[in-house]
Amino acid sequence: MRLVNSIENGIVIDHITAGKGMIVFNELKLKDVCNTIVLLMGIPSKHLNKKDILKIEGDFKLDPKVLGLIDTNIIVNYIEDNKVIKKEHVSVPDKVSDIIKCDNPRCISHTDDYAKPIFTLMKQNGELEYQCSYCEEITKIKFK
Amino acid sequence: MSKHLIEPNDLSNEEILKLIEVGKEIQVNPKKYNQLCSGKILASLFFEPSTRTKFSFDAAMIRLGGHIIGFADANTSSAKKGESLADTIRVMNFYSDIIVMRHPKEGAPKLASEYSNVPIINAGDGGHNHPTQTLTDLLTISKYKKTLENHTIALVGDLKYGRTVHSLIKTLAKFNSKKFILVSPDELKLPSFIIDYLKVNYPEIEIAEARYLEDVIEEVDIIYMTRIQKERFFNEGDYIKLKNSFLLNKEKMKKAKKDAIVMHPLPRVNEISYEIDDDPRCVYFDQSNQGVFIRMALITKMLEVGDYASC
Protein backbone atom coordinates (compact mmCIF):
# COMPACT_ATOMS: atom_id res chain seq x y z
CA MET A 1 0.00 0.00 0.00
CA ARG A 2 1.29 3.45 -0.91
CA LEU A 3 1.57 5.84 2.05
CA VAL A 4 0.37 9.39 1.68
CA ASN A 5 1.59 11.92 4.18
CA SER A 6 -0.90 13.87 6.22
CA ILE A 7 -1.12 17.54 5.40
CA GLU A 8 0.16 20.37 7.57
CA ASN A 9 -2.29 23.06 6.51
CA GLY A 10 -5.28 22.65 4.25
CA ILE A 11 -8.46 20.68 3.81
CA VAL A 12 -9.25 16.98 3.86
CA ILE A 13 -12.52 16.04 2.22
CA ASP A 14 -13.30 12.70 3.82
CA HIS A 15 -16.00 10.04 3.60
CA ILE A 16 -16.70 10.65 -0.06
CA THR A 17 -18.84 7.80 -1.35
CA ALA A 18 -16.50 5.55 -3.34
CA GLY A 19 -16.50 6.57 -6.99
CA LYS A 20 -17.49 10.19 -6.37
CA GLY A 21 -13.98 11.46 -5.61
CA MET A 22 -13.35 12.37 -9.22
CA ILE A 23 -16.68 14.24 -9.40
CA VAL A 24 -15.67 16.29 -6.35
CA PHE A 25 -12.26 16.91 -7.95
CA ASN A 26 -13.88 18.14 -11.16
CA GLU A 27 -16.63 20.23 -9.56
CA LEU A 28 -14.12 22.03 -7.33
CA LYS A 29 -12.07 22.65 -10.50
CA LEU A 30 -8.95 21.38 -8.76
CA LYS A 31 -7.02 20.85 -11.97
CA ASP A 32 -6.85 24.64 -12.28
CA VAL A 33 -5.34 25.37 -8.84
CA CYS A 34 -1.69 25.52 -7.73
CA ASN A 35 -2.25 23.60 -4.48
CA THR A 36 -0.89 20.12 -3.99
CA ILE A 37 -3.82 17.72 -4.36
CA VAL A 38 -4.08 14.07 -3.43
CA LEU A 39 -7.09 12.00 -4.47
CA LEU A 40 -7.37 8.61 -2.83
CA MET A 41 -9.97 6.23 -4.19
CA GLY A 42 -11.42 2.99 -2.88
CA ILE A 43 -10.03 3.33 0.64
CA PRO A 44 -11.47 0.76 3.12
CA SER A 45 -14.04 2.40 5.41
CA LYS A 46 -15.97 1.12 8.44
CA HIS A 47 -19.13 3.08 7.60
CA LEU A 48 -19.07 3.12 3.82
CA ASN A 49 -17.17 -0.12 3.13
CA LYS A 50 -15.12 1.88 0.64
CA LYS A 51 -14.62 5.62 0.36
CA ASP A 52 -12.67 8.28 -1.50
CA ILE A 53 -10.62 11.01 0.16
CA LEU A 54 -9.37 14.28 -1.28
CA LYS A 55 -6.58 16.26 0.34
CA ILE A 56 -5.85 19.85 -0.59
CA GLU A 57 -2.65 21.32 0.79
CA GLY A 58 -2.51 25.06 1.55
CA ASP A 59 -5.05 27.87 1.26
CA PHE A 60 -8.17 26.93 -0.65
CA LYS A 61 -11.57 28.63 -0.60
CA LEU A 62 -14.10 25.82 -0.41
CA ASP A 63 -17.83 26.24 -0.98
CA PRO A 64 -19.39 23.37 1.06
CA LYS A 65 -22.66 23.83 -0.88
CA VAL A 66 -21.01 22.24 -3.93
CA LEU A 67 -20.16 19.18 -1.86
CA GLY A 68 -23.71 19.03 -0.45
CA LEU A 69 -25.04 18.72 -3.98
CA ILE A 70 -22.72 15.79 -4.73
CA ASP A 71 -22.66 13.67 -1.59
CA THR A 72 -24.06 14.24 1.89
CA ASN A 73 -21.76 11.58 3.39
CA ILE A 74 -18.84 14.00 3.07
CA ILE A 75 -17.09 15.38 6.13
CA VAL A 76 -14.69 18.27 5.61
CA ASN A 77 -11.70 18.51 7.96
CA TYR A 78 -9.91 21.84 8.17
CA ILE A 79 -6.26 21.39 9.13
CA GLU A 80 -3.91 23.92 10.70
CA ASP A 81 -0.41 23.02 11.94
CA ASN A 82 -1.18 19.32 11.57
CA LYS A 83 -4.31 19.58 13.74
CA VAL A 84 -7.96 19.29 12.79
CA ILE A 85 -9.39 22.65 13.86
CA LYS A 86 -12.89 22.14 12.44
CA LYS A 87 -15.04 19.29 11.12
CA GLU A 88 -17.97 20.09 8.89
CA HIS A 89 -20.71 17.68 7.82
CA VAL A 90 -22.09 18.83 4.49
CA SER A 91 -25.81 18.91 3.79
CA VAL A 92 -28.04 19.51 0.80
CA PRO A 93 -28.30 23.32 0.48
CA ASP A 94 -31.76 24.91 0.57
CA LYS A 95 -30.67 27.60 -1.86
CA VAL A 96 -27.80 27.81 -4.32
CA SER A 97 -26.58 30.31 -6.86
CA ASP A 98 -23.64 30.35 -9.27
CA ILE A 99 -23.03 26.61 -8.83
CA ILE A 100 -25.72 25.32 -11.16
CA LYS A 101 -27.25 26.52 -14.41
CA CYS A 102 -30.93 26.54 -15.25
CA ASP A 103 -32.02 23.55 -17.36
CA ASN A 104 -34.57 25.68 -19.21
CA PRO A 105 -33.02 26.94 -22.46
CA ARG A 106 -35.64 29.69 -22.66
CA CYS A 107 -34.61 31.17 -19.29
CA ILE A 108 -33.23 34.74 -19.31
CA SER A 109 -30.27 33.54 -17.21
CA HIS A 110 -28.70 31.99 -20.32
CA THR A 111 -28.60 35.18 -22.35
CA ASP A 112 -28.20 38.07 -19.92
CA ASP A 113 -25.11 38.31 -17.73
CA TYR A 114 -27.01 40.43 -15.20
CA ALA A 115 -29.36 37.54 -14.44
CA LYS A 116 -28.01 35.64 -11.43
CA PRO A 117 -30.65 33.03 -10.62
CA ILE A 118 -31.14 31.67 -7.13
CA PHE A 119 -32.23 28.04 -7.05
CA THR A 120 -34.52 26.80 -4.28
CA LEU A 121 -34.57 23.14 -3.27
CA MET A 122 -37.93 21.58 -4.15
CA LYS A 123 -37.31 17.82 -3.85
CA GLN A 124 -34.51 15.70 -2.48
CA ASN A 125 -35.82 12.16 -2.75
CA GLY A 126 -33.43 10.48 -5.12
CA GLU A 127 -32.55 13.26 -7.54
CA LEU A 128 -32.19 16.79 -6.22
CA GLU A 129 -34.57 19.26 -7.86
CA TYR A 130 -34.14 23.02 -7.69
CA GLN A 131 -36.46 25.78 -8.92
CA CYS A 132 -35.03 28.76 -10.80
CA SER A 133 -35.92 32.18 -9.39
CA TYR A 134 -36.39 33.64 -12.87
CA CYS A 135 -38.29 31.10 -14.97
CA GLU A 136 -39.52 28.82 -12.11
CA GLU A 137 -38.63 25.71 -14.13
CA ILE A 138 -37.11 22.75 -12.32
CA THR A 139 -33.44 21.90 -12.73
CA LYS A 140 -32.34 18.40 -11.78
CA ILE A 141 -28.84 18.04 -10.40
CA LYS A 142 -26.65 15.72 -12.43
CA PHE A 143 -22.91 15.26 -12.12
CA LYS A 144 -20.83 13.28 -14.57
CA MET B 1 -48.99 44.59 -3.94
CA SER B 2 -45.36 44.76 -4.82
CA LYS B 3 -44.39 47.73 -6.91
CA HIS B 4 -44.22 45.59 -10.05
CA LEU B 5 -46.58 43.07 -11.64
CA ILE B 6 -44.34 40.20 -12.72
CA GLU B 7 -46.40 37.17 -11.84
CA PRO B 8 -50.01 36.58 -10.78
CA ASN B 9 -49.12 36.13 -7.12
CA ASP B 10 -47.89 39.71 -6.97
CA LEU B 11 -51.56 40.62 -6.49
CA SER B 12 -53.65 39.63 -3.50
CA ASN B 13 -57.24 38.46 -3.96
CA GLU B 14 -58.48 41.78 -2.56
CA GLU B 15 -56.36 43.71 -5.05
CA ILE B 16 -57.65 41.59 -7.93
CA LEU B 17 -61.27 42.10 -6.89
CA LYS B 18 -60.71 45.86 -6.60
CA LEU B 19 -59.14 45.94 -10.08
CA ILE B 20 -62.18 44.11 -11.46
CA GLU B 21 -64.46 46.59 -9.73
CA VAL B 22 -62.54 49.55 -11.18
CA GLY B 23 -62.45 47.87 -14.61
CA LYS B 24 -66.24 47.63 -14.56
CA GLU B 25 -66.62 51.19 -13.31
CA ILE B 26 -64.45 52.49 -16.17
CA GLN B 27 -66.89 50.94 -18.66
CA VAL B 28 -69.83 52.62 -16.99
CA ASN B 29 -68.23 55.98 -16.43
CA PRO B 30 -65.27 56.47 -18.83
CA LYS B 31 -65.22 60.27 -18.55
CA LYS B 32 -64.21 60.04 -14.91
CA TYR B 33 -60.97 58.37 -15.99
CA ASN B 34 -60.02 60.05 -19.25
CA GLN B 35 -57.49 62.52 -17.85
CA LEU B 36 -56.16 60.60 -14.87
CA CYS B 37 -52.77 59.92 -16.49
CA SER B 38 -52.37 63.29 -18.15
CA GLY B 39 -48.65 64.10 -18.33
CA LYS B 40 -47.61 60.50 -17.60
CA ILE B 41 -45.56 58.40 -20.00
CA LEU B 42 -45.86 54.65 -20.49
CA ALA B 43 -42.87 52.89 -22.08
CA SER B 44 -44.08 49.98 -24.18
CA LEU B 45 -41.12 47.63 -24.71
CA PHE B 46 -42.13 44.71 -26.90
CA PHE B 47 -39.14 42.51 -27.62
CA GLU B 48 -41.56 40.06 -29.23
CA PRO B 49 -44.58 40.62 -31.51
CA SER B 50 -48.02 41.26 -30.07
CA THR B 51 -51.33 42.59 -31.30
CA ARG B 52 -53.90 42.51 -28.53
CA THR B 53 -51.66 43.01 -25.53
CA LYS B 54 -49.62 45.84 -27.01
CA PHE B 55 -52.53 47.74 -28.51
CA SER B 56 -54.77 47.24 -25.51
CA PHE B 57 -52.08 48.76 -23.29
CA ASP B 58 -51.63 51.60 -25.79
CA ALA B 59 -55.39 52.17 -25.94
CA ALA B 60 -55.63 51.98 -22.15
CA MET B 61 -52.97 54.66 -21.63
CA ILE B 62 -54.43 56.93 -24.32
CA ARG B 63 -57.91 56.59 -22.80
CA LEU B 64 -56.42 57.63 -19.48
CA GLY B 65 -54.99 60.77 -21.11
CA GLY B 66 -51.37 59.60 -20.99
CA HIS B 67 -48.63 59.18 -23.59
CA ILE B 68 -46.77 56.18 -25.00
CA ILE B 69 -43.19 55.68 -26.13
CA GLY B 70 -41.43 52.45 -27.02
CA PHE B 71 -40.99 49.85 -29.70
CA ALA B 72 -42.91 46.90 -31.06
CA ASP B 73 -39.90 45.14 -32.51
CA ALA B 74 -36.61 44.49 -30.70
CA ASN B 75 -34.77 45.02 -33.98
CA THR B 76 -35.51 48.73 -33.73
CA SER B 77 -34.01 49.01 -30.22
CA SER B 78 -30.48 48.79 -28.82
CA ALA B 79 -31.19 45.18 -27.89
CA LYS B 80 -30.30 44.51 -31.51
CA LYS B 81 -26.84 45.94 -30.78
CA GLY B 82 -26.46 43.56 -27.86
CA GLU B 83 -27.49 45.90 -25.04
CA SER B 84 -28.39 44.05 -21.86
CA LEU B 85 -31.96 44.22 -20.63
CA ALA B 86 -30.78 45.78 -17.36
CA ASP B 87 -29.17 48.70 -19.22
CA THR B 88 -32.24 49.24 -21.39
CA ILE B 89 -34.42 49.38 -18.29
CA ARG B 90 -32.09 51.73 -16.41
CA VAL B 91 -32.26 54.19 -19.31
CA MET B 92 -36.00 53.86 -19.87
CA ASN B 93 -36.46 54.76 -16.20
CA PHE B 94 -35.37 58.31 -17.10
CA TYR B 95 -37.92 58.58 -19.88
CA SER B 96 -41.06 57.02 -18.45
CA ASP B 97 -43.31 56.65 -15.42
CA ILE B 98 -44.27 53.03 -16.01
CA ILE B 99 -42.91 50.22 -18.21
CA VAL B 100 -44.85 47.48 -19.95
CA MET B 101 -42.65 44.77 -21.41
CA ARG B 102 -42.95 41.56 -23.36
CA HIS B 103 -39.88 39.40 -23.83
CA PRO B 104 -39.25 35.98 -25.37
CA LYS B 105 -37.00 34.91 -22.49
CA GLU B 106 -38.64 33.53 -19.37
CA GLY B 107 -37.90 35.56 -16.26
CA ALA B 108 -36.90 38.69 -18.23
CA PRO B 109 -39.49 40.95 -16.52
CA LYS B 110 -38.26 39.80 -13.11
CA LEU B 111 -34.72 40.72 -14.11
CA ALA B 112 -35.99 44.10 -15.38
CA SER B 113 -37.74 44.74 -12.07
CA GLU B 114 -34.43 44.33 -10.25
CA TYR B 115 -33.07 47.37 -12.12
CA SER B 116 -36.15 49.57 -12.27
CA ASN B 117 -37.36 52.40 -10.06
CA VAL B 118 -40.61 52.69 -12.00
CA PRO B 119 -43.27 49.96 -12.04
CA ILE B 120 -42.72 47.10 -14.49
CA ILE B 121 -45.71 45.22 -15.90
CA ASN B 122 -45.04 41.81 -17.40
CA ALA B 123 -46.92 41.60 -20.69
CA GLY B 124 -45.77 38.02 -21.32
CA ASP B 125 -42.39 36.30 -20.93
CA GLY B 126 -41.85 33.28 -23.18
CA GLY B 127 -44.02 30.38 -22.06
CA HIS B 128 -43.89 31.52 -18.45
CA ASN B 129 -46.42 34.10 -17.25
CA HIS B 130 -48.90 36.58 -18.62
CA PRO B 131 -50.54 38.21 -15.58
CA THR B 132 -52.43 40.96 -17.40
CA GLN B 133 -54.10 38.39 -19.65
CA THR B 134 -55.15 36.70 -16.43
CA LEU B 135 -56.67 39.94 -15.16
CA THR B 136 -58.48 40.24 -18.49
CA ASP B 137 -59.75 36.68 -18.11
CA LEU B 138 -60.91 37.31 -14.55
CA LEU B 139 -62.81 40.47 -15.51
CA THR B 140 -64.48 38.47 -18.28
CA ILE B 141 -65.36 35.60 -15.93
CA SER B 142 -66.70 38.05 -13.38
CA LYS B 143 -68.83 39.73 -16.05
CA TYR B 144 -70.38 36.54 -17.43
CA LYS B 145 -70.37 34.21 -14.43
CA LYS B 146 -70.85 36.85 -11.69
CA THR B 147 -68.31 35.19 -9.41
CA LEU B 148 -64.74 33.89 -9.70
CA GLU B 149 -65.42 31.06 -7.29
CA ASN B 150 -66.50 27.45 -7.44
CA HIS B 151 -66.19 26.87 -11.19
CA THR B 152 -65.15 23.79 -13.12
CA ILE B 153 -62.67 24.96 -15.73
CA ALA B 154 -61.43 23.01 -18.73
CA LEU B 155 -58.08 24.25 -20.02
CA VAL B 156 -57.60 23.04 -23.56
CA GLY B 157 -54.68 22.91 -26.00
CA ASP B 158 -51.08 23.90 -25.35
CA LEU B 159 -50.79 23.73 -21.58
CA LYS B 160 -47.03 23.32 -21.62
CA TYR B 161 -45.95 26.57 -23.26
CA GLY B 162 -49.24 28.44 -22.81
CA ARG B 163 -48.27 31.28 -20.50
CA THR B 164 -51.87 32.47 -20.27
CA VAL B 165 -52.85 29.10 -18.82
CA HIS B 166 -49.97 29.09 -16.32
CA SER B 167 -50.94 32.49 -14.93
CA LEU B 168 -54.68 31.82 -15.01
CA ILE B 169 -54.61 28.45 -13.26
CA LYS B 170 -52.47 29.76 -10.39
CA THR B 171 -54.78 32.72 -9.91
CA LEU B 172 -58.10 30.89 -10.21
CA ALA B 173 -56.83 28.42 -7.63
CA LYS B 174 -56.73 31.31 -5.15
CA PHE B 175 -60.45 31.86 -5.76
CA ASN B 176 -61.63 28.43 -4.63
CA SER B 177 -62.03 26.80 -8.00
CA LYS B 178 -63.90 23.52 -7.86
CA LYS B 179 -62.07 21.55 -10.53
CA PHE B 180 -59.49 21.95 -13.27
CA ILE B 181 -59.73 19.62 -16.25
CA LEU B 182 -56.58 19.58 -18.35
CA VAL B 183 -57.16 18.68 -21.99
CA SER B 184 -53.98 18.52 -24.05
CA PRO B 185 -51.86 16.21 -26.19
CA ASP B 186 -49.12 14.33 -24.32
CA GLU B 187 -46.48 16.60 -25.85
CA LEU B 188 -48.10 19.73 -24.42
CA LYS B 189 -49.13 18.78 -20.89
CA LEU B 190 -49.11 21.26 -18.03
CA PRO B 191 -45.58 21.39 -16.47
CA SER B 192 -45.26 19.19 -13.41
CA PHE B 193 -44.03 22.08 -11.25
CA ILE B 194 -47.40 23.80 -11.70
CA ILE B 195 -49.35 20.63 -10.87
CA ASP B 196 -47.13 20.14 -7.80
CA TYR B 197 -47.74 23.76 -6.82
CA LEU B 198 -51.50 23.25 -7.00
CA LYS B 199 -51.44 19.96 -5.10
CA VAL B 200 -49.34 21.39 -2.29
CA ASN B 201 -51.11 24.74 -1.94
CA TYR B 202 -54.67 23.84 -2.94
CA PRO B 203 -55.20 20.14 -2.14
CA GLU B 204 -58.98 20.64 -2.09
CA ILE B 205 -59.12 21.46 -5.81
CA GLU B 206 -59.75 18.45 -8.03
CA ILE B 207 -57.39 18.14 -10.98
CA ALA B 208 -58.34 15.80 -13.81
CA GLU B 209 -56.93 15.07 -17.24
CA ALA B 210 -58.89 14.29 -20.37
CA ARG B 211 -57.77 13.39 -23.85
CA TYR B 212 -60.83 14.84 -25.58
CA LEU B 213 -62.90 17.87 -24.64
CA GLU B 214 -66.14 16.17 -25.70
CA ASP B 215 -65.64 13.58 -22.94
CA VAL B 216 -65.91 16.23 -20.23
CA ILE B 217 -67.63 19.25 -21.79
CA GLU B 218 -70.98 18.55 -20.10
CA GLU B 219 -69.63 19.32 -16.63
CA VAL B 220 -67.60 22.41 -17.53
CA ASP B 221 -68.51 26.00 -16.58
CA ILE B 222 -65.60 27.69 -18.35
CA ILE B 223 -63.94 26.32 -21.49
CA TYR B 224 -60.57 28.01 -21.88
CA MET B 225 -59.17 27.29 -25.33
CA THR B 226 -55.56 27.94 -26.38
CA ARG B 227 -53.72 27.73 -29.65
CA ILE B 228 -51.65 24.67 -30.50
CA GLN B 229 -48.58 25.99 -32.25
CA LYS B 230 -47.09 24.10 -35.14
CA GLU B 231 -43.53 24.94 -34.07
CA ARG B 232 -43.96 22.97 -30.83
CA PHE B 233 -43.93 19.69 -32.74
CA PHE B 234 -40.93 17.83 -34.08
CA ASN B 235 -42.68 16.91 -37.30
CA GLU B 236 -45.60 18.34 -39.21
CA GLY B 237 -47.35 14.96 -39.31
CA ASP B 238 -47.83 14.93 -35.54
CA TYR B 239 -49.19 18.47 -35.65
CA ILE B 240 -51.69 17.72 -38.41
CA LYS B 241 -52.80 14.60 -36.59
CA LEU B 242 -53.53 16.51 -33.40
CA LYS B 243 -54.73 19.92 -34.46
CA ASN B 244 -58.27 18.87 -35.31
CA SER B 245 -58.78 16.77 -32.21
CA PHE B 246 -58.87 20.01 -30.22
CA LEU B 247 -61.25 21.84 -32.54
CA LEU B 248 -64.28 23.25 -30.78
CA ASN B 249 -67.25 23.23 -33.15
CA LYS B 250 -71.05 23.36 -33.19
CA GLU B 251 -71.36 19.63 -32.62
CA LYS B 252 -69.30 19.73 -29.43
CA MET B 253 -71.03 22.89 -28.21
CA LYS B 254 -74.37 21.05 -28.29
CA LYS B 255 -73.18 19.09 -25.26
CA ALA B 256 -71.93 22.13 -23.34
CA LYS B 257 -73.91 23.65 -20.46
CA LYS B 258 -76.35 26.40 -21.37
CA ASP B 259 -74.57 28.86 -19.13
CA ALA B 260 -71.02 27.74 -19.94
CA ILE B 261 -68.67 30.29 -21.49
CA VAL B 262 -65.94 29.77 -24.08
CA MET B 263 -62.82 31.88 -23.69
CA HIS B 264 -59.63 32.20 -25.70
CA PRO B 265 -56.73 34.64 -25.24
CA LEU B 266 -56.51 34.88 -29.06
CA PRO B 267 -55.16 34.74 -31.68
CA ARG B 268 -56.97 31.55 -32.64
CA VAL B 269 -55.84 29.54 -35.62
CA ASN B 270 -57.95 26.44 -36.03
CA GLU B 271 -58.99 25.44 -32.53
CA ILE B 272 -62.34 27.25 -32.59
CA SER B 273 -64.58 26.88 -35.61
CA TYR B 274 -65.93 30.17 -37.02
CA GLU B 275 -69.38 28.58 -37.05
CA ILE B 276 -69.73 29.06 -33.27
CA ASP B 277 -68.69 32.73 -33.16
CA ASP B 278 -72.33 33.82 -32.88
CA ASP B 279 -73.09 31.43 -30.03
CA PRO B 280 -73.74 33.74 -27.04
CA ARG B 281 -71.63 31.44 -24.89
CA CYS B 282 -68.54 32.32 -26.95
CA VAL B 283 -67.17 35.41 -25.28
CA TYR B 284 -63.62 35.54 -26.64
CA PHE B 285 -64.01 38.75 -28.61
CA ASP B 286 -65.53 40.60 -25.68
CA GLN B 287 -62.70 39.10 -23.60
CA SER B 288 -60.24 41.09 -25.76
CA ASN B 289 -62.37 44.17 -25.24
CA GLN B 290 -62.27 43.70 -21.46
CA GLY B 291 -58.48 43.73 -21.70
CA VAL B 292 -58.43 47.47 -22.27
CA PHE B 293 -60.54 48.26 -19.20
CA ILE B 294 -58.64 46.04 -16.80
CA ARG B 295 -55.34 47.44 -18.08
CA MET B 296 -56.67 50.96 -17.52
CA ALA B 297 -57.50 49.95 -13.96
CA LEU B 298 -54.05 48.40 -13.51
CA ILE B 299 -52.21 51.48 -14.82
CA THR B 300 -54.13 53.76 -12.45
CA LYS B 301 -53.28 51.42 -9.59
CA MET B 302 -49.59 51.28 -10.38
CA LEU B 303 -49.36 55.03 -10.92
CA GLU B 304 -51.49 55.61 -7.81
CA VAL B 305 -54.03 57.88 -9.46
CA GLY B 306 -57.85 57.99 -9.46
CA ASP B 307 -59.30 55.28 -7.21
CA TYR B 308 -55.76 54.51 -6.08
CA ALA B 309 -54.61 58.04 -5.28
CA SER B 310 -53.05 58.19 -1.83
CA CYS B 311 -54.89 60.46 0.53
Side-chain angles (χ1 to χ4, degrees), chain A residues 72-130:
Chain A
T72 51
N73 286 318
I74 289 173
I75 298 172
V76 183
N77 298 294
Y78 294 87
I79 316 287
E80 255 182 46
D81 298 329
N82 291 306
K83 288 180 186 161
V84 177
I85 57 154
K86 191 171 98 174
K87 271 183 185 282
E88 187 175 10
H89 291 254
V90 304
S91 56
V92 176
D94 292 332
K95 288 191 188 290
V96 290
S97 53
D98 298 331
I99 306 170
I100 56 178
K101 285 186 175 168
C102 184
D103 270 353
N104 174 11
R106 302 177 307 279
C107 179
I108 185 70
S109 62
H110 292 294
T111 51
D112 198 306
D113 292 341
Y114 280 95
K116 306 284 184 207
I118 295 166
F119 294 89
T120 304
L121 181 66
M122 302 302 283
K123 279 185 189 168
Q124 61 178 106
N125 299 331
E127 275 182 315
L128 299 179
E129 293 186 1
Y130 283 87

Side-chain angles (χ1 to χ4, degrees), chain B residues 137-207:
Chain B
D137 299 341
L138 297 181
L139 176 56
T140 308
I141 293 169
S142 174
K143 177 178 174 180
Y144 288 96
K145 304 295 290 182
K146 308 300 173 207
T147 174
L148 301 179
E149 297 192 8
N150 207 31
H151 298 308
T152 293
I153 303 121
L155 299 136
V156 187
D158 180 356
L159 309 187
K160 183 174 182 181
Y161 300 101
R163 58 191 169 202
T164 59
V165 167
H166 299 171
S167 288
L168 180 63
I169 201 165
K170 283 196 262 182
T171 310
L172 277 175
K174 298 199 297 182
F175 286 95
N176 304 318
S177 290
K178 188 171 157 191
K179 185 175 181 180
F180 292 121
I181 304 176
L182 311 173
V183 187
S184 66
D186 287 342
E187 296 88 335
L188 300 174
K189 283 189 169 185
L190 193 69
S192 59
F193 73 88
I194 297 181
I195 294 179
D196 290 346
Y197 169 85
L198 293 172
K199 284 182 176 169
V200 169
N201 293 289
Y202 305 98
E204 67 284 2
I205 299 177
E206 193 182 340
I207 301 171

Side-chain angles (χ1 to χ4, degrees), chain A residues 104 106 108 112 133-134 136, chain B residues 84-85 106 110 114 128:
Chain A
N104 174 11
R106 302 177 307 279
I108 185 70
D112 198 306
S133 58
Y134 284 110
E136 297 184 279
Chain B
S84 73
L85 177 61
E106 295 169 14
K110 181 175 168 58
E114 291 166 6
H128 186 209

Side-chain angles (χ1 to χ4, degrees), chain B residues 48-75:
Chain B
E48 195 181 57
S50 163
T51 305
R52 267 152 296 277
T53 307
K54 180 178 171 17
F55 290 117
S56 66
F57 264 114
D58 289 358
M61 192 58 174
I62 291 166
R63 287 184 182 179
L64 290 166
H67 302 278
I68 301 144
I69 57 173
F71 52 83
D73 177 357
N75 287 326

Side-chain angles (χ1 to χ4, degrees), chain B residues 212-268:
Chain B
Y212 300 104
L213 178 60
E214 52 268 43
D215 294 342
V216 293
I217 199 166
E218 287 172 10
E219 63 170 305
V220 175
D221 302 308
I222 299 165
I223 303 165
Y224 196 91
M225 302 293 295
T226 62
R227 179 167 53 108
I228 292 182
Q229 291 165 279
K230 200 192 229 175
E231 58 269 29
R232 305 296 187 207
F233 290 85
F234 289 115
N235 65 69
E236 199 169 349
D238 284 349
Y239 168 72
I240 291 167
K241 206 163 59 189
L242 283 166
K243 66 174 187 177
N244 287 335
S245 62
F246 292 90
L247 175 73
L248 185 57
N249 56 20
K250 223 174 206 172
E251 194 58 33
K252 289 179 189 172
M253 282 303 289
K254 279 181 190 165
K255 290 171 72 183
K257 284 183 177 179
K258 282 192 177 135
D259 63 346
I261 56 171
V262 179
M263 299 175 67
H264 193 305
L266 303 179
R268 68 172 158 180

